[in-house]
Amino acid sequence: MPTALVTGASRGLGAVYARELAERGYSVVLVARDAARLAEVAESVGRATGAIVETLPADLTDPAGLAAVERRITDRDLPVDVLVNNAGVETDAVFAEAPVEVLAGEIDLNVTALMRLTRAAVPAMTARGHGGVLNIASVAGYLPSGGNAYGASKSWVLAFSDTVAASLHGTGVTVTAVAAGRIRTDDDPQGPLWLDPCDVVRRSLDDLARGRTLSAPGWVYRALVGYLEAPRTALRLAARVAGRGRERCERLERGSGHTRPSPVPTPFRDEPAPSRPLPAVAVGPATPVPPVLPEEPVRPAHVAAATVPAPRVSGTGPLPVVTRPAVAGSGALPARPTAARAATSATARAAVRRLPAAPRPVQPAREVATVRLAAG
């Protein structure tokens, strides 16, 4: 049987949460400072639902009482599946006129106790892969009024729940903040601004089961909170998309991403490249270490061995002698015998065949008389 722990369960929303969770099949643990009133609620819930009800009187502003509730939440034998942080207090005095002790107690209960109990519950829920935390905030967290510190503490609850919920995305653990409005009592009038406590409890528990980060019971408060939450909703969506992008990049870097197979069959893709080891060279104390050259590929089977030159390691033998032909006018002639040189020159001259020269034009001779007449 799953277990739910409800703080501030001696009256108001806490008692209604205890009754509703017991009717939904939970065994409940009730936490409150008033032990006598807590026992009455436990007896009423147990008789009405037949559920197992456990009481834990504790003052959450006292370090000893807060530690006792933390120990109960972290109990491995009786794990808590749903935590309802309902305990809270509101100081009516204006901030500048309120006693410091009263303001500190308000922060200890509305902020510190809620944070510590959430911190105690989340690791165990994450390890089990399921669980839920319901933090009771208020619409006053958006529109604080009266000059007191209550609205500021509830605004912190909204921001804190949003931050923790974003860090637990994909773990199976849900953190939901309840932006509750005016809760109707017996003396309050009827109207859309006054909410029935049973409707608030049922709607918030349903939103927790759906995995929603924020619950705003009542259509008036739902419209108001939806308008005020529009910028934060856009930022939350952008942060989630960016987080998914980072997770995908990390998976690709780790090599866990899926790749498309090659359409061309490659049977030798995973085979090591064939290589021929270099010949061993004896290195003495005075002999320099030859540089390591890249390995040469193995001769293919269809290539004759005579056409493949033997591998050579740098520094292991003399360089081959390359004979360059003499260039005319350079003065460098190959070392050959004189007779061989003469025979070669005669053969080269005999091989050369001269082409017949073209006839030169002949100017016709002029008569002397004609020349004289022209001159005279």
Side-chain angles (χ1 to χ4, degrees), residues 30 37-51 53 55:
L30 307 182
R37 178 63 183 169
L38 192 63
E40 295 177 3
V41 174
E43 183 179 0
S44 174
V45 171
R47 288 183 177 181
T49 62
V53 182
T55 60

Side-chain angles (χ1 to χ4, degrees), residues 13 18 23 28-29 38 41 54 63 86 119-120 122 146 185 190 261-262 300 317 322 328 332 342:
L13 277 180
E23 290 179 353
V28 292
V29 180
L38 192 63
V41 174
E54 177 185 350
N86 171 74
R119 177 61 179 81
V122 164
T185 61
Q190 299 289 333
S262 175
V322 179

Side-chain angles (χ1 to χ4, degrees), residues 17 69 87 111 129 136 162-163 176 181 192 201 215-216 263 285 287 305 321 324 347 371:
Y17 271 113
V69 180
V111 175
I136 309 304
D162 192 12
T163 303
T176 304
V201 169
S215 176
T287 305
V321 178
R324 301 179 61 185
T347 305
V371 175

